[in-house]
């Protein structure tokens, strides 16, 4: 196990443990997709579209006094203001008929809620491969389990995220681009906890408050995923770069060729465990594994038609945008 993320061997073992019964892939343009797209907006608001990240130098890996990072120059680019939502992913599925890795596998990795855990010593207890869990129904089914339209899409493998990005006319950001965007207008060293908590210790991002994984005090008002835009944007106008869900990047993790870096931490990051709620943090994630706490956002070389002041009737940006 890698810091609580389900590794490839563990997922293979969990898959082998599933019964051999058949699994029917959902109709890509079916009622679930329509319901997600038609859901009314949530209570949290954020500006739609892309934000421009100006060219500049990022101190890659800077993590407070004593950890200055490595100076890396990043060219200017555009980035989604928020993580790709279920509503946006539903538009993609509706337009293309795309079927995700989790839907093809018939199962995906779901974090086990604290009340079902016996202890925190065995990270293998924290995740369960749940039959029929996928982006549409993040916990595997049930009448009340349809994905919330304005929450980040999860249970997306690397190829799923990359496919959406291509459809949207963009790509996944590199590690350096992602970190440049997350740091905003940072001018000097910043204490690691300051990315998710203010000077009074109040949460400014969706993370875990309490003794992970057994207890959560819910000071940020969310025990799991939060709709995008519930917390203040950074200096570039981006929300949820820290916390909520980990985000895929295009950067490889090591030389194995099967892992990519994910950045930003998630609602599962706590002081007593991984404390990954800061731009410097990263994890290596197997490309073919989707989980209930990993999502993504898209980088672009150009502004969208909306940012250019041009109206467009389609539900998603065209390939040439």
């Amino acid at each position: 196990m890698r810091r609580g993320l389900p590794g490839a061997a563990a997922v293979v073992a969990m898959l082998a443990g599933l019964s051999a019964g058949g699994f029917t892939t959902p109709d890509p343009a079916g009622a679930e997709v329509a319901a997600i797209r038609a859901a009314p907006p949530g209570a949290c608001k954020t500006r739609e579209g892309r934000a421009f990240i100006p060219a500049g130098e990022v101190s890659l890996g800077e993590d407070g006094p004593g950890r200055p990072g490595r100076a890396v120059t990043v060219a200017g680019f555009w980035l989604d203001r928020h993580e790709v939502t279920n509503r946006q992913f539903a538009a993609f599925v509706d337009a293309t008929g795309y079927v995700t890795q989790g839907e093809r596998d018939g199962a995906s990795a779901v974090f086990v809620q604290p009340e079902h855990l016996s202890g925190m010593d065995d990270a293998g207890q924290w995740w369960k491969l749940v039959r029929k869990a996928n982006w549409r129904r993040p916990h595997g089914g049930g009448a009340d389990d349809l994905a919330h339209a304005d929450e980040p899409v999860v249970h997306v493998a690397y190829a799923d995220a990359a496919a959406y990005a291509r459809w949207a006319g963009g790509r996944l950001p590199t590690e350096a681009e992602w970190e440049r965007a997350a740091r905003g207008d940072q001018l000097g060293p910043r204490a690691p906890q300051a990315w998710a908590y203010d000077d009074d210790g109040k949460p400014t991002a969706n993370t875990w408050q309490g003794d992970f994984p057994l207890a959560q005090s819910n000071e940020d008002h969310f025990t799991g995923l939060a709709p995008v835009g519930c917390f203040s944007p950074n200096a570039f106008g981006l929300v949820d770069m820290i916390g909520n869900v980990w985000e895929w990047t295009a950067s490889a993790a090591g030389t194995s060729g099967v892992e990519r870096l994910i950045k930003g931490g998630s609602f599962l990051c706590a002081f007593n465990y991984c404390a990954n709620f800061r731009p410097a943090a990263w994890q290596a994630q197997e490309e073919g594994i989707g989980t209930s706490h990993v999502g993504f956002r898209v980088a672009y070389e150009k502004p969208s038609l909306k940012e250019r002041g041009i109206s467009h009737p389609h539900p998603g940006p065209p390939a040439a945008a």
Side-chain angles (χ1 to χ4, degrees):
M1 291 291 171
R2 183 178 287 102
R3 298 185 185 178
L5 294 171
V11 170
V12 169
M14 287 189 287
L15 279 170
L18 293 173
S19 65
F23 178 77
T24 303
T25 300
D27 177 7
E32 290 181 351
V33 169
I36 292 169
R37 290 193 62 190
C44 298
K45 305 291 185 181
T46 188
R47 181 179 172 187
E48 295 288 336
R50 309 168 188 178
F52 182 65
I53 314 303
E57 191 174 87
V58 60
S59 297
L60 193 65
E62 183 277 323
D63 208 15
R67 296 185 177 183
R70 173 171 56 91
V72 175
T73 299
V74 178
F77 67 103
W78 297 77
L79 189 67
D80 283 341
R81 294 180 183 276
H82 57 69
E83 295 150 339
V84 173
T85 64
N86 289 303
R87 188 189 307 277
Q88 291 173 309
F89 202 79
F92 161 61
V93 170
D94 198 20
T96 65
Y98 188 86
V99 179
T100 62
Q101 181 70 50
E103 291 171 295
R104 294 194 300 272
D105 288 345
S108 192
V110 177
F111 178 73
V112 178
Q113 294 302 309
E115 59 267 27
H116 301 302
L117 292 171
S118 59
M120 70 168 292
D121 294 334
D122 182 7
Q125 297 181 26
W126 304 350
W127 295 92
K128 181 179 180 181
L129 199 68
V130 176
R131 180 179 292 281
K132 297 186 180 181
N134 56 58
W135 75 273
R136 303 163 188 254
R137 294 189 175 272
H139 301 94
D144 60 349
D145 190 40
L146 191 65
H148 293 183
D150 294 317
E151 288 180 358
V153 66
V154 292
H155 294 298
V156 282
Y158 178 79
D160 303 329
Y164 176 96
R166 288 191 298 272
W167 173 80
R171 55 180 173 76
L172 296 178
T174 66
E175 175 192 16
E177 288 174 332
W178 190 97
E179 196 163 327
R180 162 77 173 145
R183 291 186 181 280
D185 62 350
Q186 181 186 8
L187 300 176
R190 189 175 183 185
Q193 67 271 20
W195 295 101
Y197 293 86
D198 65 16
D199 293 341
D200 296 323
K202 295 181 180 178
T204 58
N206 182 20
T207 62
W208 185 290
Q209 296 90 48
D211 184 21
F212 179 87
L214 297 179
Q216 185 171 188
S217 61
N218 195 28
E219 294 169 42
D220 62 7
H221 307 296
F222 298 100
T223 57
L225 293 173
V228 298
C230 293
F231 298 89
S232 298
N234 71 7
F236 291 148
L238 306 169
V239 296
D240 299 320
M241 292 297 289
I242 302 301
N244 216 12
V245 294
W246 286 97
E247 298 182 17
W248 286 108
T249 75
S251 296
T255 59
S256 67
V258 297
E259 294 179 318
R260 301 279 175 164
L261 294 180
I262 54 175
K263 298 280 286 181
S266 77
F267 64 90
L268 298 178
C269 290
F271 278 119
N272 74 302
Y273 185 58
C274 63
N276 278 328
F277 40 73
R278 58 205 202 281
W282 58 270
Q283 299 283 6
Q285 176 76 352
E286 285 82 1
E287 291 184 1
I289 300 173
T291 76
S292 58
H293 74 331
V294 177
F296 69 101
R297 72 181 76 205
V298 180
Y300 311 84
E301 305 303 326
K302 301 177 182 179
S304 68
L305 296 177
K306 183 177 180 180
E307 270 85 28
R308 296 180 217 171
I310 303 171
S311 62
H312 198 282
H314 298 304

